Amino acid sequence: MTYRSLISIADLGNAEMEKLFSLADHFLPQIESGGFKSTVLKGTSTILLFFEPSTRTRVSFELAGKMLGSDTINISTKGSSSEKGESLRDTALTMAAMDNNIVVMRHGGADAVEMFASCFDRSVINAGAGRGQHPTQALLDAHSLHREGLLETGRQVAIVGDIKHSRVMRSNIMLLLKLGMDVTLVAPPPLMPDGWEGLKPQNWAADTKGYGKLEWSSAIDPVLPKLDVVMLLRMQNERMVGGLMTNDDEYAKIWGLSKRRLDALPEHAIVLHPGPVNRGVELGQDVFDDPRCRINTQVNSGLAVRCALLCWACGKYPEGVAV
Ligand code: NCD
């Protein structure tokens, strides 16, 4: 069996991404019509090793594994040997000794998943690592754009909110800029990472030819009229040291996507949010009711992309699907 891991979105070439999207497109209609049962991954086991809370990511990987016929096993911090002080390295060696095939892992440390993967000789998929990477979220967001015909050079994206603590932003900008899309980060100064200019492609890409531009705006209103995509982020209070913003009402007023701001957004633009959403803070009910809202589309793209990733991780594909 082949084993592939996905630790950082930077490791995934465009050709591999296209392969994943065509597989995701294969699964999508079956997911939209209520799910499917297949035996593609029969005989494999998928361990969901979550050291941080999760609803969407964990459930979609579990559902994907079950639909594909993999045995899925949930392990969280509570009740696992990590509570007794077992190191990540020893957890990895234990998983490998039990012949498990795929580990889908979420952890509070930015380097933890990479460290785990260095001790586990099968597939490891990063389901969110501290303030580091969240590559499967970036893939599902990009897949949501691909479904709209918006995943193309020159498109304008804004990522709004708690940029400083966001792994979703980090993975998304690497993917979108590489595809030639321009990204504006929209956040008040306390929610921007120190030295944010280090996120520009010239600081991490070997050759920036064809890459889009990265900018920062501390105000949302001037940015809205030029956008194709607005991606909202949650205030990640659990990662903040001290209170960075005075209160939620103030945030909603200055940076939240209100009815008035929706009116400033072009008709063809779409609104994304990785969830969980804090209603009334980064967005209001008006956004959910707006036809440009794609938050539910993201959820089923998430399931399709995770089905594709589990197949890709162990090199087993549905019959008749060209990869
Ligand atoms: C994100 C995460 O955990 O990084 N959510 C997700 O995976 N759907 C974003 C967040 O927690 O705000």
Side-chain angles (χ1 to χ4, degrees):
M1 197 144 85
T2 320
Y3 287 114
R4 292 193 194 91
S5 293
L6 180 63
I7 310 297
S8 164
I9 199 71
D11 305 335
L12 200 70
N14 289 357
E16 288 297 277
M17 191 184 79
E18 273 164 32
K19 188 195 282 184
L20 284 169
F21 282 4
S22 79
L23 256 178
D25 291 343
H26 162 84
F27 290 119
L28 193 60
Q30 304 175 65
I31 289 166
E32 286 181 322
S33 60
F36 63 94
K37 273 275 172 224
S38 103
T39 52
V40 188
L41 295 186
K42 194 169 185 298
T44 69
S45 50
T46 302
I47 307 288
L48 305 161
L49 187 57
F50 277 63
F51 293 100
E52 268 194 356
S54 172
T55 302
R56 274 150 275 261
T57 308
R58 196 190 56 70
V59 172
S60 65
F61 269 114
E62 182 165 3
L63 215 51
K66 287 189 157 57
M67 291 194 298
L68 293 162
S70 183
D71 292 325
T72 56
I73 298 148
N74 272 289
I75 303 178
S76 56
T77 325
K78 207 155 172 46
S80 77
S81 290
S82 76
E83 269 199 322
K84 299 179 181 170
E86 184 175 66
S87 69
L88 268 182
R89 184 174 181 277
D90 285 335
T91 306
L93 296 174
T94 308
M95 296 296 138
M98 287 182 192
D99 260 350
N100 290 302
N101 305 95
I102 308 172
V103 167
V104 176
M105 180 175 169
R106 171 170 286 196
H107 197 282
D111 302 327
V113 180
E114 192 174 358
M115 201 288 256
F116 185 96
S118 70
C119 320
F120 183 74
D121 56 359
R122 321 283 161 81
S123 302
V124 179
I125 299 180
N126 182 354
R131 292 191 205 175
Q133 284 279 324
H134 195 347
T136 75
Q137 181 69 44
L139 278 175
L140 80 86
D141 291 339
H143 188 259
S144 307
L145 303 187
H146 153 83
R147 288 166 71 179
E148 307 281 338
L150 289 173
L151 196 67
E152 53 186 25
T153 308
R155 293 289 186 176
Q156 303 294 314
V157 182
I159 307 182
V160 183
D162 184 0
I163 303 293
K164 186 177 182 126
H165 303 95
S166 179
R167 52 193 177 209
V168 173
M169 171 285 300
R170 210 168 284 278
S171 293
N172 258 299
I173 60 171
M174 288 181 131
L175 181 58
L176 300 174
L177 293 171
K178 184 162 83 165
L179 294 174
M181 300 172 76
D182 295 329
V183 180
T184 307
L185 303 173
V186 181
L191 295 182
M192 282 297 285
D194 298 334
W196 72 272
E197 289 183 317
L199 296 168
K200 291 187 172 182
Q202 50 269 39
N203 298 302
W204 48 264
D207 176 7
T208 58
K209 191 161 170 281
Y211 277 58
K213 287 197 302 291
L214 182 70
E215 288 172 345
W216 170 40
S217 170
S218 60
I220 185 170
D221 295 299
V223 178
L224 294 171
K226 70 167 185 185
L227 295 178
D228 298 294
V229 182
V230 57
M231 203 178 271
L232 305 170
L233 297 174
R234 181 179 64 93
M235 296 282 285
Q236 287 140 75
N237 294 311
E238 73 280 12
R239 300 203 182 102
M240 289 185 191
V241 185
L244 290 177
M245 297 296 298
T246 45
N247 63 53
D248 288 352
D249 291 345
E250 182 196 30
Y251 181 91
K253 203 160 109 212
I254 310 180
W255 292 282
L257 197 60
S258 57
K259 173 84 183 81
R260 177 179 63 78
R261 293 195 170 120
L262 274 172
D263 291 343
L265 205 60
E267 268 311 301
H268 73 276
I270 61 166
V271 181
L272 303 179
H273 190 309
V277 167
N278 290 311
R279 286 186 192 234
V281 185
E282 58 269 17
L283 53 81
Q285 186 59 38
D286 290 327
V287 175
F288 282 100
D289 297 339
D290 194 282
R292 292 167 290 182
C293 177
R294 294 293 185 279
I295 297 176
N296 287 334
T297 312
Q298 279 173 284
V299 176
N300 66 26
S301 267
L303 195 45
V305 163
R306 281 151 184 159
C307 284
L309 274 166
L310 294 182
C311 293
W312 171 87
C314 44
K316 286 171 170 262
Y317 300 101
E319 224 170 290
V321 176
V323 279

